């Protein structure tokens, strides 16, 4: 199940906006819930830049001869924390940083998966297939529905799940 980008609020109409338990709002670009668990997706579009990903998840963006070091781990950890607050610690959560750029090289080796935009669907299918092959701790259809309902209860704006 995909939790839609259907939230309208004062910040933006893009992404999924969730309240945490304190009432603060958080935006997550994509959430997929399936047998493998919850997949949180953060998307970054760097246009015509070239990106080099280091093993420590440091992302170096080069555009017009200028270099910028970016670190997304704090944002990814915040998303993970918001979802864990909603569904609890026993549900597997997989974090994916999806990058769009002119050229992407290297790969991370840490707390979250880094993929290019053209590989996101393939990566999600790999995660799903691996979980189904291993048959370990798969979420049942009922549990998936329960998780979606819990997440929906914290959404800002309209509530809808694309089945």
């Amino acid at each position: 199940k995909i939790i839609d980008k259907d939230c309208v609020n004062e910040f933006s109409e893009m992404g999924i906006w969730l309240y945490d338990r304190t009432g603060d709002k958080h935006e997550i670009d994509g959430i997929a819930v399936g047998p493998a668990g919850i997949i949180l997706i953060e998307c970054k579009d760097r246009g015509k830049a070239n990106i080099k990903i280091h093993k420590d998840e440091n992302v170096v963006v080069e555009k017009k001869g200028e270099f910028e070091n970016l670190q997304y781990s704090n944002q990814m950890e915040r998303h993970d924390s918001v979802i864990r607050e909603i569904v609890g610690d026993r549900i597997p959560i997989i974090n994916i940083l999806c990058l769009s750029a002119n050229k992407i090289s290297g790969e991370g080796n840490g707390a979250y998966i880094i993929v290019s935009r053209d590989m996101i669907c393939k990566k999600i299918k790999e995660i799903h297939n691996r979980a189904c092959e291993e048959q370990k701790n798969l979420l049942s259809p009922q549990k998936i529905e329960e998780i979606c309902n819990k997440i929906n209860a914290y959404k800002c704006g309209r509530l809808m799940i694309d089945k």
Side-chain angles (χ1 to χ4, degrees):
K1 290 187 182 250
I2 303 295
I3 297 191
D4 270 344
K5 294 182 176 186
D6 63 353
C7 303
V8 179
N9 60 65
E10 68 269 27
F11 300 113
S12 166
E13 291 186 19
M14 299 302 293
I16 300 155
W17 287 87
L18 299 171
Y19 291 109
D20 64 17
R21 293 187 189 274
T22 67
D24 289 336
K25 295 177 184 174
H26 302 270
E27 184 253 344
I28 299 173
D29 291 333
I31 303 174
V33 183
I38 301 170
I39 298 174
L40 302 179
I41 304 164
E42 177 62 27
C43 300
K44 298 294 180 190
D45 184 358
R46 292 297 171 181
K48 296 184 180 187
N50 294 321
I51 293 178
K52 172 105 172 105
I53 303 163
H54 295 272
K55 295 246 183 248
D56 63 357
E57 278 130 16
N58 188 42
V59 177
V60 179
V61 178
E62 183 270 321
K63 190 170 185 177
K64 297 181 182 176
E66 300 283 325
F67 293 88
E68 181 180 9
N69 287 316
L70 302 173
Q71 185 62 262
Y72 296 108
S73 58
N74 288 342
Q75 185 176 16
M76 304 295 280
E77 288 169 13
R78 193 168 51 250
H79 292 173
D80 190 277
S81 175
V82 168
I83 295 298
R84 286 191 190 287
E85 203 174 85
I86 294 170
V87 302
D89 288 331
R90 301 182 84 182
I91 305 298
I93 298 177
I94 300 122
N95 294 283
I96 298 177
L97 174 61
C98 178
L99 298 171
S100 178
N102 180 51
K103 181 181 175 188
I104 301 172
S105 62
E107 60 182 55
N109 188 23
Y112 54 91
I113 298 165
I114 303 174
V115 297
S116 62
R117 190 174 112 200
D118 61 330
M119 297 300 290
I120 186 74
C121 291
K122 181 179 179 186
K123 181 53 77 176
I124 291 171
K125 285 178 186 174
E126 282 177 15
I127 292 166
H128 172 78
N129 291 342
R130 189 174 337 114
C132 290
E133 286 171 11
E134 292 174 1
Q135 292 286 311
K136 292 181 184 174
N137 303 320
L138 292 178
L139 300 179
S140 69
Q142 296 82 8
K143 190 66 174 177
I144 292 168
E145 189 72 33
E146 177 188 321
I147 290 166
C148 290
N149 290 336
K150 283 182 178 182
I151 293 171
N152 269 331
Y154 284 86
K155 286 172 69 176
C156 312
R158 291 187 295 126
L159 301 181
M160 185 171 120
I161 292 185
D162 177 15
K163 296 185 181 195

